[in-house]
Amino acid sequence: MKIDTVEAIPYEIGMRKPLLFASGQMTTADHVLVRITTDEGHVGIADVPPRPYTYGETQGSVVAVIETLFAPLLVGADPFARNAINAGMARTVGNFAAKGAVDIALWDIIGKSLGTSVHALLGGFTPTVRVSHMVGFAPAQEMVDEALNYREQYGITSFKVKVGRRPVSLDVDACIALREALGADAELYLDANRGWSANEALAVARACDGLGLLYLEEPCDALEVIGRQRLVRESPLTIMADESVPTLGDVARELHNGGASAISIKTARTGFSESQKILGLCEGLGVDVIMGNQIDSMLGSVATVIFGAAFKHSSRRAAELSNFLEFADFLITEPLVIKNGQISAPTAPGLGVTLDNNKLAAYRLDRK
Ligand code: MUC
Ligand code: MG
């Protein structure tokens, strides 16, 4: 089997409400749909969420890098040769989300051609994973109302709270209000998207001690090396790395340097192949992981649930899988359903979902 065509299709879907966080905000999903077709008629798809404020990729840069650098490597290649293809793409630095999506689309083709779900191919540990919801910046009472609503509607009891504001009392007050409203059983953890210095983060971690918070994600820039190491040593909250670890090597460096003691894995940036290596590294070292959310569409979340549910170590913690609910629409014909705080991994061949071509035609930006 050989790859025939590679498409990078820019599209835009509105958000029902903007998502605000310390490093940026999202009001529309300016994403790219990757579609790879083989000479045997198998089609692999994946979603690219470009996040310029996190990794420097844009919708235009994703289309350009796929069309000009990755497509020439892919066309004519055997889609089973993931390692050769990924090594070829690695010769281009950065462009994590573009690379991650190509890898996911290859796995989709492999699964479809074998008549097997990717969830099963990866190891099929559990059929469902617990869902965590990410709550963006808002006045404390609005954040509480959103969390209560997601608990009521979807049975979600795990929440990642966006922090990193100044004055830090805005965030501390929101955490206190959320804990009071949700009770002792709800899981709460924080993500500052580098909004603070290491010292500010330490003050917040101390102020929140006693609230039963699980993690503090990316509190400051990991390049603030000494401050970050001190924070990891002195913080009462476990420090989790997210955007500072977009590759396997970055994970190894941050864990080795003492810049983090827990890791967010995002299939949107490391696909299935590199995510598997990161997961193995973390499991071997006894480091917690969370399946993170790059503000993923429903198709992006399909990849996260497939990977999260496939392994014991990635399914221990609730996975961030609910923010697709804030997108005004989705491009697949089998909607993900969150029930009793859980999502099931699709069991049909490949990713187990089908592209809705009418919707893609309506939302694509390149043929208007
Ligand atoms: C997160 O975990 O940081 C916000 C920016 C981004 O790239 O991902 C989101 C969520
Ligand atoms: Mg994060």
Side-chain angles (χ1 to χ4, degrees):
M1 181 166 52
K2 298 247 178 303
I3 293 171
D4 244 3
T5 60
V6 178
E7 296 165 275
I9 303 166
Y11 72 89
E12 182 180 278
I13 288 183
M15 301 283 286
R16 292 185 202 282
K17 75 174 189 52
L19 183 68
L20 284 81
F21 41 95
S23 55
Q25 61 178 32
M26 227 180 105
T27 48
T28 52
D30 297 309
H31 287 200
V32 179
L33 191 277
V34 171
R35 180 161 59 188
I36 302 178
T37 309
T38 73
D39 56 357
E40 295 182 7
H42 294 297
V43 181
I45 55 171
D47 197 49
V48 190
R51 299 287 168 256
Y53 31 77
T54 315
Y55 312 102
E57 291 173 284
T58 65
Q59 191 178 49
S61 79
V62 167
V63 172
V65 81
I66 292 177
E67 287 182 347
T68 61
L69 296 176
F70 298 165
L73 286 172
L74 286 155
V75 172
D78 177 351
F80 277 80
R82 285 180 292 111
N83 293 344
I85 292 170
N86 284 333
M89 290 197 295
R91 294 174 67 91
T92 299
V93 301
N95 294 285
F96 308 116
K99 291 174 182 169
V102 168
D103 183 69
I104 290 167
L106 294 177
W107 277 90
D108 191 20
I109 291 172
I110 291 167
K112 282 175 175 150
S113 71
L114 297 173
T116 308
S117 71
V118 174
H119 174 251
L121 287 176
L122 287 170
F125 177 71
T126 174
T128 64
V129 288
R130 206 153 54 83
V131 176
S132 169
H133 177 65
M134 178 161 71
V135 183
F137 288 173
Q141 190 54 47
E142 281 177 35
M143 295 170 79
V144 166
D145 291 344
E146 179 175 326
L148 290 174
N149 176 32
Y150 273 72
R151 185 170 73 178
E152 171 76 21
Q153 272 202 60
Y154 303 105
I156 295 173
T157 56
S158 178
F159 298 94
K160 168 154 116 176
V161 185
K162 286 297 196 186
V163 294
R165 292 179 281 190
R166 291 190 178 89
V168 295
S169 58
L170 283 171
D171 294 329
V172 176
D173 290 350
C175 291
I176 293 170
L178 282 159
R179 178 54 81 205
E180 273 175 11
L182 294 165
D185 292 344
E187 273 182 14
L188 292 174
Y189 56 106
L190 314 182
D191 184 0
N193 286 112
R194 299 160 282 140
W196 295 316
S197 67
N199 284 338
E200 284 173 310
L202 186 56
V204 175
R206 286 181 174 149
C208 289
D209 198 17
L211 288 177
L213 305 177
L214 280 180
Y215 303 104
L216 172 53
E217 183 173 315
E218 217 68 82
C220 58
D221 197 320
L223 294 177
E224 230 186 283
V225 180
I226 305 281
R228 178 89 168 221
Q229 288 169 335
R230 192 176 59 245
L231 177 64
V232 169
R233 281 196 308 273
E234 296 182 14
S235 165
L237 301 182
T238 300
I239 303 301
M240 174 173 296
D242 173 16
E243 55 263 46
S244 60
V245 292
T247 68
L248 173 67
D250 294 309
V251 173
R253 186 202 57 228
E254 285 308 305
L255 292 175
H256 184 258
N257 286 352
S261 29
I263 297 293
S264 174
I265 296 182
K266 293 183 174 172
T267 51
R269 66 182 173 218
T270 40
F272 294 138
S273 301
E274 191 158 348
S275 294
Q276 221 175 328
K277 296 180 191 174
I278 293 172
L279 183 68
L281 175 66
C282 292
E283 185 175 6
L285 292 171
V287 168
D288 283 6
V289 305
I290 278 198
M291 292 309 301
N293 186 327
Q294 202 161 302
I295 318 173
D296 292 305
S297 66
M298 190 183 283
L299 176 57
S301 301
V302 165
T304 304
V305 67
I306 286 172
F307 187 89
F311 303 90
K312 184 174 175 186
H313 196 58
S314 55
S315 57
R316 284 182 199 275
R317 295 278 173 204
E320 296 165 7
L321 282 164
S322 57
N323 289 85
F324 69 81
L325 295 165
E326 287 154 9
F327 287 50
D329 207 351
F330 48 87
L331 293 182
I332 52 180
T333 54
E334 307 81 355
L336 279 179
V337 177
I338 306 176
K339 212 173 150 198
N340 299 327
Q342 307 262 341
I343 298 192
S344 298
T347 52
L351 298 183
V353 293
T354 316
L355 196 59
D356 185 325
N357 285 312
N358 292 331
K359 283 192 184 174
L360 180 62
Y363 295 120
R364 67 190 295 171
L365 298 172
D366 54 345
R367 291 206 184 144
K368 286 206 167 140

